[in-house]
Amino acid sequence: MSTDTGTRRAGRLGRWFSGPRRAIIVSSIGTSLEWYDYFLYGTAAVFVFGPLFFPESDPATGLLLSLATFGVGFASRPVGAVLFGHFGDRIGRRDVLAATFLVMGTSTFLIGLLPGYASIGVVAPVLLVLLRVVQGLSLGGQWGGAVLMAMEHGPRERRGVTSSWVQVGVPVGNILSTGLLALAAVLLPNEAFLEWGWRIPFLLSGGLALMGLWIRRGLTESPEFEAMGRPSRSPLLEVLRTHPRALGSAFLARIGSDVVFYVFTFYLLAYLDTQLGMDRGVGLAVVVIASAVQLPLLVLYGRLSDRWGRRRVYAFGAIGSGVWVFVFFPLLDTGVFWIITAAVVGGIVFEAAMYGPQAAFIAELFAPRVRYSGTGLGYQVAGVPSGALAPIVAIALFDWFGTAQAVAWYVAASVLVSLVGLALSPGPWRGTRAPAEEASARGPLTGAAP
Amino acid sequence: MAAICPDGHPTEDTEYCEECGLRVPTPSGARPPGGPGDGRVRGSTTGSAGGERSAGGSVGPGPRLGPTPAAPGPGHGPGGGTAGGPVRAAEVAALIGDAPTSAHVAAPRAGAGHAGAAPAPAGSRADRSGAEHVPPPGGAPAANAVPPDDDPADLLEPPAPTLLLTPGRRPRLRGPSTVGRLRLLAAVTVAALVLAFGALAVGTRAAQTAIDDTGQDIGPRIIATADLPRALAETDAHLAALVLLGDDPDHADERAAELEAYQDSGGAAADLVLGAHDLAVDVEGRPEPTAAATDPAAAAIEGEAAAQDPADAPTPTATPEDAHGATAQAIDLAQAYARYRELAGRALALSESATYPAGEVPSDVAAARAEAARHLREEVLPLAEAVSLDATRTAFHRTKDAHDTVATARVAVAFGSAAALAALIALQVFLARRFHRTFSPALLVATAVTAIYTYTGVTVMATQTDVLTRMTADGLVPVATQAALRTEDTVEAADSTDARTGASVGAGSLDPYQDDPAEAEEAAAVFTASVAAGDAAIGGLGFLIPVSMLSIAVVVVVGTAPRLAEYR
């Protein structure tokens, strides 16, 4: 009897965890782990990599060099988008997505096994940079695949919410990486942490590689890919030739969202540290709280974008961020923890309105035969001038003008760029346009849908 | 080799072929009663569909193949039974020299027919494909199937197990099966990895021990002990000054300063003497037995040191009864130093009791001071030098042993890692050829980690040999050499001071004892830097070596296990 009950329960679970839901969950978990790996490097670059891989230089230079290797990851992401996008459009989303997980898990795992400069000399930082490049390649290829697997498996009228689950990977990865590294730092003596404790979160990424294998076995190929017929011979060239406006729109729309995110989180740490003289732990705690708030908001905005249209929700987030940033810095200047938290959470509320529907917004711009390449390219190329440079530009502006208002104007300008991107959007690709979307595609920022 | 499958592959597995997966016929002698026939068992067990491709013995003289021709099963297996007694038929056919009777030539699985089925019609597939589809022997006999010169009895003799005969081809020798090769390569890989990582672990441990032992403990004490002659010289110089100054009220301030300096340098010398004692105990590996109660000299030193700073006062630990070698030498040094302080104290006491102007030392005071100086140069300093040199020599030998171990480990790491890399590449190539895979990601990762750790192992071992060389050759040896030179200077200076006792107050200055400590300091700095470099190079490897080893082993298994499973 109990066996029957167990079997029935397993059967129910199996049915529940199948089809689109399975694709969404697996894509979401995989993306979370992928971002975990990516952010883990950034956190370790601040605390560990300087003395371990760049000990010959003075501490400040060592920190800068280790952060420079962090930036290398941004530069390689568009290359990954092109590389994996090519295969994703030609041989299928599933296997390429699995490959990106394997590559990311393996490269992060190898960073955990990497001896330091004292052991192998200059080869150590060289290998570190190389593995960082591989991480960037993988992330560049992974995001598009995960979005497409979630989106193309799901119903057409719920693409916003299905793809927003993939976006959840960013805050989850951020919380996981910061939390695990902090846990290791708290539990271990400082010497043990610097010698081997920091490696444990990296070695755990081997699990991501195994997940890649699981995905290959457990997921079916995207229905839209299977239905699309003969694949493009050169998806990159085709997307550049046939979807220039979509690419431009995706690129511009991404700018504001990335700048807002990195100013509200990464630059925040520098601002609290250098301008307010606050402990670094305060900033990290605030970022973790904001990430936790961001989690449900992303899905909520994804769902709203299915009802009200992507561009409308996206524009709400852009305008809100552009306004909020002028409140943001005065709130930070109070130096009170809860007010700072409220400032960051407020910013994240608007940022999530851009980031939640962003995946569906970008992916829908492209035809299925070039969607992997177009989505990845549009998303990742924008990350270089926005995400990678935002904290640097913000620091430079503050130094130049001596006031945070300069940074606020920079953020406002970036969200204006995003609004231009939204306005230029050609709307969802016509070949797969749903009736509800058809109306919305008539004009930018008008109508009931994006 | 346990058996040969129906397709002629040698296999260790007695039930299924490791290469093609076909069921292996039970050897005739071992066949259970009622078991399914002989080498043609597939034909007899695959049921009623058999016979549809049984095809004729008309294909001509099939070569003798397979190990168990015409094995006379005592009973009918299930297939055999339904097939109309193929075993018996095969037996007969074999005996009359009619049957090719090889498991090797049995029909392939898809077409496995009844051993005892009727001959296939002319023009069947077996007809077209020649000997490979020679029918099971229970089928219609073809009288001309076996060359007339073949002795039917030969058919019962199994061929050499490694000899594969393929119809229409020359016999060729086969190596291990696919599965066997896969296992062999994986085993070689793991064995080579164990060798490489084992050597790396041994070399690292030897280097770490040498660095901990010599670098963190003995070495610093040797360097500190090298300062002993200087401390003694300072003490003696201040003593000379005190004796020269006497109780002259015009020089009361000078005397007070000299007395304070004398006590300071005396305390420092006492600390160093105790350090030499501890060093000797450590070098000899002696347990640290009892306390100063049994060692008057050490007790005296302890008291003196405690007078300087009771909290930091060292405690001598060895007893004269337990002591031997370097420890005894150190205790002798402590006793000699205690004797010096005793003589110095007597000279001071005489100086304080006598009233004389500065520089005009009475003869009894001068004699007491001279006795103390003579004891210093003839007893204390040579013993101090001997303790330092002995410790240096011991440290040098230990470090050299560690150096040799690390150098050997380096070679083993290089060879083991090269073998592991070669095996991994061979495994990769083998999988690519046999399973038509471009590459195995898991093995690629294993190869990358192995390559990284090959480089790491060789580099770290090279760093350690260099560090161990520099620690001694460029560090401790120059330090000890400088200490010996300084001892000579001190003896000379003591003589000089002694000779000028009656001359002037200035004779009590440290000038005669000054030497150039730059070289010794430089050597000490080299030593410290070498130790730090060696420590840093090893740092973390204690964790990384086992984790990497385990990771590679897991990844190799992950990379090969699916292929093994796929093959089965």
Side-chain angles (χ1 to χ4, degrees), chain B residues 195-469:
Chain B
L195 171 66
F197 278 85
L200 184 57
V202 168
T204 306
R205 183 158 182 77
Q208 184 74 68
T209 305
I211 286 173
D212 286 347
D213 194 22
T214 304
Q216 312 284 9
D217 192 14
I218 300 175
R221 291 200 206 183
I222 289 172
I223 291 171
T225 312
D227 284 337
L228 182 57
R230 184 177 184 79
L232 290 170
E234 282 184 15
T235 308
D236 197 49
H238 293 306
L239 174 65
L242 284 168
V243 168
L244 285 168
L245 289 169
D247 202 17
D248 191 335
D250 294 340
H251 295 87
D253 291 345
E254 268 183 82
R255 180 183 170 78
E258 285 295 338
L259 189 61
E260 192 179 344
Y262 169 75
Q263 285 171 342
D264 286 349
S265 58
D271 284 345
L272 291 171
V273 169
L274 283 176
H277 169 269
D278 291 347
L279 172 65
V281 170
D282 286 352
V283 166
E284 291 208 327
R286 300 280 303 162
E288 299 190 353
T290 54
T294 55
D295 184 354
I301 298 164
E302 181 189 22
E304 196 169 313
Q308 302 298 316
D309 186 352
D312 296 337
T315 304
T317 48
T319 65
E321 291 76 18
D322 289 338
H324 65 95
T327 311
Q329 216 170 32
I331 290 173
D332 287 346
L333 171 64
Q335 287 173 335
Y337 178 68
R339 174 67 180 152
Y340 167 75
R341 294 305 297 258
E342 190 183 329
L343 293 171
R346 187 189 302 164
L348 273 180
L350 284 173
S351 165
E352 284 171 4
S353 62
T355 303
Y356 57 92
E360 296 175 14
V361 184
S363 59
D364 58 333
V365 177
R369 150 80 184 100
E371 189 182 355
R374 188 167 51 253
H375 180 75
L376 178 72
R377 65 177 176 267
E378 289 177 1
E379 299 290 334
V380 183
L381 286 170
L383 278 170
E385 185 183 7
V387 167
S388 178
L389 283 178
D390 278 357
T392 306
R393 197 175 298 121
T394 305
F396 185 80
H397 286 307
R398 283 189 188 178
T399 312
K400 188 174 182 313
D401 288 346
H403 178 279
D404 293 345
T405 305
V406 172
T408 309
R410 186 185 180 199
V411 175
V413 167
F415 277 108
S417 302
L421 277 175
L424 280 167
I425 292 168
L427 200 53
Q428 190 81 261
V429 170
F430 179 72
L431 289 179
R433 284 186 180 168
R434 189 57 63 98
F435 294 89
H436 305 294
R437 288 175 174 270
T438 311
F439 62 83
S440 157
L443 291 180
L444 206 61
V445 172
T447 309
V449 178
T450 306
I452 289 174
Y453 275 85
T454 301
Y455 183 77
T456 301
V458 173
T459 308
V460 168
M461 293 296 105
T463 305
Q464 294 308 319
T465 51
D466 184 45
V467 159
L468 293 171
T469 302

Side-chain angles (χ1 to χ4, degrees), chain A residues 14-214:
Chain A
R15 280 194 297 278
W16 183 85
F17 188 59
S18 63
R21 187 175 281 120
R22 187 186 187 100
I24 293 166
I25 290 173
V26 167
S27 298
S28 179
I29 293 174
T31 309
S32 301
L33 295 177
E34 188 97 358
W35 280 107
Y36 160 78
D37 285 14
Y38 197 74
F39 287 137
L40 191 60
Y41 186 102
T43 315
V46 175
F47 297 113
V48 179
F49 290 165
L52 195 68
F53 290 100
F54 306 97
E56 295 292 294
S57 47
D58 63 272
T61 312
L63 177 61
L64 276 178
L65 286 171
S66 67
L67 287 176
T69 64
F70 179 66
V72 165
F74 274 100
S76 60
R77 275 162 59 176
V79 182
V82 170
L83 183 72
F84 287 105
H86 175 84
F87 292 107
D89 282 329
R90 284 189 57 77
I91 65 174
R93 293 32 167 146
R94 185 194 62 171
D95 287 354
V96 173
L97 180 63
T100 61
F101 288 145
L102 270 173
V103 170
M104 177 61 101
T106 303
S107 54
T108 310
F109 184 78
L110 288 179
I111 290 175
L113 288 181
L114 208 54
Y117 183 92
S119 296
I120 55 174
V122 74
V123 174
V126 167
L127 286 176
L128 183 71
V129 171
L130 197 65
L131 289 170
R132 182 59 178 169
V133 168
V134 175
Q135 273 194 328
L137 290 176
S138 166
L139 188 68
Q142 181 272 341
W143 183 83
V147 167
L148 298 195
M149 284 297 281
M151 194 182 88
E152 293 179 348
H153 268 91
R156 192 175 294 266
E157 68 280 3
R158 300 193 65 196
R159 280 176 166 179
V161 69
T162 53
S163 59
S164 70
W165 279 104
V166 174
Q167 305 295 75
V168 161
V170 172
V172 170
N174 207 352
I175 292 171
L176 274 180
S177 63
T178 310
L180 270 179
L181 215 54
L183 191 69
V186 167
L187 292 180
L188 293 170
N190 192 43
E191 194 179 331
F193 175 75
L194 285 177
E195 200 166 283
W196 56 268
W198 67 270
R199 298 177 184 276
I200 292 173
F202 282 82
L203 295 176
L204 289 177
S205 286
L208 180 60
L210 296 178
M211 181 162 176
L213 296 174
W214 181 57

Side-chain angles (χ1 to χ4, degrees), chain A residues 78 80-89 93 140-141 143-145 147-148 232 234-251 254 358-359 361-382:
Chain A
V82 170
L83 183 72
F84 287 105
H86 175 84
F87 292 107
D89 282 329
R93 293 32 167 146
W143 183 83
V147 167
L148 298 195
S232 168
S234 175
L236 176 65
L237 293 179
E238 187 172 328
V239 77
L240 289 173
R241 196 177 60 246
T242 58
H243 294 71
R245 189 173 165 192
L247 274 175
S249 170
F251 174 84
R254 273 276 294 155
Q358 191 177 76
F361 168 75
I362 294 178
E364 282 176 339
L365 296 173
F366 302 95
R369 58 189 276 114
V370 293
R371 189 173 281 161
Y372 205 129
S373 298
T375 305
L377 206 59
Y379 182 90
Q380 304 295 356
V381 171

